[in-house]
Amino acid sequence: MIYAGVDIGGTNIKIGLVDGEGNILTDNSIKTNAGRPHSEILDDIVADIRRLCDNAGVDFHEVDGIGLGIPGIVDQRTGTVSYCANLGWRDIPVTHLIEVISGKHAEAANDANCAAWGEYMYGSCRGMRNVILITLGTGVGSGIILDGKMFGGIATAGGEAGHMIIVKDGLQCNCGLKGCWERYASATALVEQTKAAIEAHPYSLMAEIARRNGKITARTAFAALEKGDAEAKKVVDRYIDYVVTGLINLGNIFHPNAFVIGGGVSNEGAPLIAPLEDKLNAGLIASAHNPRVRVLQASLGNKAGLMGAAALVMEKRD
Amino acid sequence: MIYAGVDIGGTNIKIGLVDGEGNILTDNSIKTNAGRPHSEILDDIVADIRRLCDNAGVDFHEVDGIGLGIPGIVDQRTGTVSYCANLGWRDIPVTHLIEVISGKHAEAANDANCAAWGEYMYGSCRGMRNVILITLGTGVGSGIILDGKMFGGIATAGGEAGHMIIVKDGLQCNCGLKGCWERYASATALVEQTKAAIEAHPYSLMAEIARRNGKITARTAFAALEKGDAEAKKVVDRYIDYVVTGLINLGNIFHPNAFVIGGGVSNEGAPLIAPLEDKLNAGLIASAHNPRVRVLQASLGNKAGLMGAAALVMEKRD
């Protein structure tokens, strides 16, 4: 059996053909061009699945279903997107439309939940029943798997943990609230924090690395830390502290087996992941009397979403 | 059928006999005298259940099971309390011990979860599948019902939402963390906030009410607000804002049908509950595209815990 997994983002749409064991046969990326009519986007997705089939020597008829990850509020039972700010979608019956265009069965879920589902099915937390995926990227995303099931509340909206308020009356967030976790723990926030530190310490190694690269990125502070820069250590320590704050909040509420860290910043690996796990467990209530909560690096990279989306239709069809 | 429900607190233990429809036949309260051996406490509980039976004209043999709410981390499957700070308990097989002493089947769960379960079974949120009980008392407690089941993570420890950090690097909490929600939203915190406002405004009506009563309580600011005191309004508004902050965080993560507010402060009723619901829904992400989240006053008062505890054994026996 072959399934199509689609991970719709505000900028790009990642599409892949996945077999029943979670192997990606072929995949690519097309432009979202957000703002155009949803029908055009959905037509493009199905056309691309046909193209991928041609490239992989797979008959389109062999594709047994199409799973979609959507960056918004999805009612998984009906396949309707009630709201997606990035795409400007409201009340779009997305699985129905994909089924009409493609003649295939379709399923849809929130994109962060799909990524969590991908990691749960094929990635670094396989076999764990209670896991929370946190993506540290442009924002902070979260996908929650409880007792082996995707969790999203009554609206199946995806846990919006990135908008947990961790600094009351803190930095203004796009969502309208102030002090949201993602204003402190996203890659975007790390760049801001690095920028401020470079302005305050223009002769630090971190500042030199930024000048050499011609830009400040979420890597800059970690790169300087590798070379022993004291100012970079302060930036990274503080950033890790912000990430941990949200993990502690979620950990005390959910008591998961593990957090899986994805998104661009997760590529830093051990210098990020190891202190996160230590500080998380130090901060959890009565942690000595509970199993240690693992913090793991996501292993599917930016393909977790499409793999999880493909797995949505497997479940329903197999 | 008759069931015994027991709600163990750090100071008092509330015990009641409950019938299969959730009616309390008789109940009372005994001293915990925390610190003494757990066997003494458990003996006292069973002795009191016998006494309640005598008072109610019920034969002890008619009691079909004993449910216990414990203020700590309880593994509900094994009935073992791994950790309870208030009682100094560690790894106590509490249901086993109660069964040995009483000859009755016993079940145990975290006390906040029991209270949530009581409200869910018999109280103000009956019929709702996803509800979160928040108790505003000495601390802030939380019990979470998801899809009609008590939720507690892998350790069945009860969601420790009161220790959600909402003010990074904020006020020191007993748990070791800083800026926990309960440091701002508990009855204790409201008293502190009222005290500070009275010191700053010694000629306010609020200050006068406190002097007249000879003490500052969690009622003081609400009582002065009823009489139109501007300083009291500031205190109450700010307090409500702190409570809402935590509700927004939980609301964006769980998307429940309702929050049920219990604990001493909940007795304020509409002046507390109505603004909580409005501000919560105003703060939720994409709230216009989701069902309105209700905020309800708990209706079982301080008997929610023992009723929920009694319901634990009903489920298993009926």
Side-chain angles (χ1 to χ4, degrees):
Chain A
M1 291 294 186
I2 293 167
Y3 309 88
V6 181
D7 185 9
I8 306 182
T11 309
N12 295 302
I13 301 171
K14 290 188 270 295
I15 305 178
L17 299 181
V18 180
D19 70 16
E21 282 73 50
N23 301 303
I24 296 179
L25 306 182
T26 177
D27 68 301
N28 70 354
S29 176
I30 63 174
K31 287 287 165 203
T32 310
N33 295 325
R36 60 189 172 137
H38 63 269
S39 58
E40 282 184 24
I41 294 177
L42 300 180
D43 279 340
D44 278 7
I45 287 170
V46 176
D48 192 66
I49 294 171
R50 289 181 181 277
R51 201 174 309 128
L52 285 173
C53 284
D54 289 347
N55 294 351
V58 169
D59 193 312
F60 183 68
H61 289 96
E62 290 177 56
V63 176
D64 205 44
I66 301 176
L68 302 118
I70 315 269
I73 300 172
V74 186
D75 185 329
Q76 227 171 303
R77 293 156 300 188
T78 63
T80 297
V81 178
S82 62
Y83 182 66
C84 174
N86 288 340
L87 303 174
W89 290 7
R90 290 187 181 204
D91 300 318
I92 306 291
V94 66
T95 59
H96 174 71
L97 294 171
I98 285 282
E99 287 176 350
V100 168
I101 299 167
S102 69
K104 309 282 181 194
H105 173 72
E107 294 280 336
N110 173 268
D111 60 345
N113 278 343
C114 283
W117 195 243
E119 291 288 344
Y120 169 73
M121 291 289 285
Y122 308 115
S124 55
C125 57
R126 212 178 332 189
M128 295 181 177
R129 300 286 294 172
N130 294 278
V131 292
I132 300 178
L133 173 74
I134 298 295
T135 54
L136 308 173
T138 310
V140 171
S142 59
I144 301 174
I145 309 289
L146 295 181
D147 201 23
K149 286 189 283 290
M150 203 183 279
F151 172 71
I154 50 169
T156 324
E160 290 280 5
H163 296 283
M164 201 165 34
I165 297 162
I166 64 158
V167 182
K168 177 100 185 96
D169 304 323
L171 297 172
Q172 181 67 50
C173 183
N174 286 334
C175 76
L177 298 172
K178 286 181 176 175
C180 293
W181 190 25
E182 76 170 31
R183 286 295 283 113
Y184 300 85
S186 61
T188 315
L190 176 54
V191 170
E192 280 176 20
Q193 291 154 16
T194 305
K195 191 157 177 270
I198 285 174
E199 279 166 12
H201 303 279
Y203 302 106
S204 64
L205 180 58
M206 184 167 50
E208 196 191 309
I209 289 174
R211 276 192 298 276
R212 220 158 47 208
N213 293 333
K215 62 185 176 193
I216 298 168
T217 71
R219 263 249 79 212
T220 306
F222 279 96
L225 172 63
E226 281 165 21
K227 310 234 182 256
D229 183 41
E231 294 307 328
K233 184 169 184 339
K234 283 186 206 162
V235 171
V236 168
D237 283 352
R238 184 75 180 151
Y239 173 75
I240 285 174
D241 195 33
Y242 282 127
V243 177
V244 163
T245 299
L247 297 186
I248 287 172
N249 287 358
L250 295 170
N252 279 329
I253 293 168
F254 286 104
H255 305 275
N257 304 99
F259 286 95
V260 179
I261 309 296
V265 184
S266 72
N267 295 324
E268 298 303 333
L272 171 76
I273 302 296
L276 281 180
E277 184 172 302
D278 288 343
K279 291 182 180 188
L280 165 64
N281 283 279
L284 291 173
I285 306 290
S287 58
H289 308 279
N290 277 320
R292 186 173 171 87
V293 179
R294 299 300 315 275
V295 177
L296 305 167
Q297 187 176 356
S299 62
L300 304 180
N302 62 15
K303 295 187 182 169
L306 77 87
M307 291 178 73
L312 290 179
V313 277
M314 284 180 218
E315 257 196 304
K316 301 280 173 172
R317 305 293 279 185
D318 284 355
Chain B
M1 293 293 188
I2 294 168
Y3 310 87
V6 181
D7 185 9
I8 306 181
T11 310
N12 295 303
I13 301 173
K14 290 189 271 296
I15 306 180
L17 299 182
V18 180
D19 71 14
E21 282 73 50
N23 301 303
I24 296 180
L25 306 182
T26 177
D27 67 301
N28 70 354
S29 176
I30 61 174
K31 287 286 165 206
T32 310
N33 295 325
R36 60 189 172 136
H38 62 269
S39 58
E40 283 185 23
I41 294 177
L42 299 179
D43 279 339
D44 277 7
I45 287 171
V46 175
D48 192 67
I49 294 171
R50 289 181 182 278
R51 201 173 310 127
L52 285 173
C53 286
D54 289 348
N55 294 350
V58 168
D59 192 313
F60 184 69
H61 289 95
E62 290 177 56
V63 176
D64 204 44
I66 301 175
L68 302 119
I70 315 266
I73 299 172
V74 186
D75 185 329
Q76 226 171 305
R77 292 155 302 189
T78 64
T80 297
V81 176
S82 62
Y83 181 67
C84 174
N86 288 341
L87 303 175
W89 290 6
R90 293 189 179 202
D91 300 318
I92 306 291
V94 68
T95 59
H96 174 72
L97 294 171
I98 284 282
E99 286 176 350
V100 168
I101 299 167
S102 69
K104 309 281 181 194
H105 172 73
E107 295 279 337
N110 172 270
D111 60 346
N113 278 343
C114 283
W117 195 243
E119 291 287 343
Y120 168 74
M121 292 290 284
Y122 308 115
S124 56
C125 57
R126 210 179 334 188
M128 295 181 177
R129 301 287 293 170
N130 294 277
V131 292
I132 300 178
L133 174 74
I134 298 296
T135 55
L136 306 175
T138 310
V140 171
S142 60
I144 300 173
I145 309 290
L146 295 182
D147 200 24
K149 288 190 283 288
M150 203 183 277
F151 172 71
I154 50 171
T156 323
E160 290 279 6
H163 295 284
M164 200 165 34
I165 297 162
I166 65 157
V167 182
K168 177 100 185 91
D169 304 323
L171 296 172
Q172 182 68 49
C173 184
N174 286 335
C175 76
L177 297 172
K178 286 183 177 175
C180 292
W181 189 26
E182 76 170 33
R183 287 295 282 110
Y184 299 86
S186 61
T188 315
L190 175 55
V191 171
E192 280 176 21
Q193 291 155 18
T194 305
K195 189 156 178 273
I198 285 174
E199 278 165 14
H201 304 279
Y203 300 108
S204 63
L205 179 60
M206 185 167 49
E208 198 191 305
I209 289 175
R211 275 193 298 275
R212 220 157 47 205
N213 293 334
K215 62 184 176 194
I216 298 168
T217 71
R219 262 250 79 211
T220 307
F222 279 95
L225 173 62
E226 281 165 20
K227 310 236 181 254
D229 184 42
E231 293 306 329
K233 184 169 183 342
K234 282 185 206 161
V235 171
V236 169
D237 284 352
R238 184 75 180 151
Y239 173 74
I240 285 175
D241 195 35
Y242 282 128
V243 177
V244 164
T245 300
L247 297 187
I248 289 172
N249 287 358
L250 295 171
N252 279 330
I253 292 168
F254 285 103
H255 304 275
N257 302 100
F259 287 95
V260 179
I261 308 297
V265 185
S266 72
N267 295 325
E268 297 303 334
L272 172 76
I273 302 296
L276 281 180
E277 183 172 303
D278 287 342
K279 291 182 180 185
L280 165 64
N281 284 280
L284 291 173
I285 305 293
S287 57
H289 308 279
N290 277 318
R292 184 171 172 89
V293 179
R294 299 300 314 276
V295 177
L296 305 167
Q297 187 176 356
S299 61
L300 304 180
N302 62 15
K303 298 189 179 168
L306 77 86
M307 292 179 71
L312 290 179
V313 275
M314 286 181 215
E315 257 195 303
K316 302 280 174 175
R317 303 293 280 185
D318 285 354

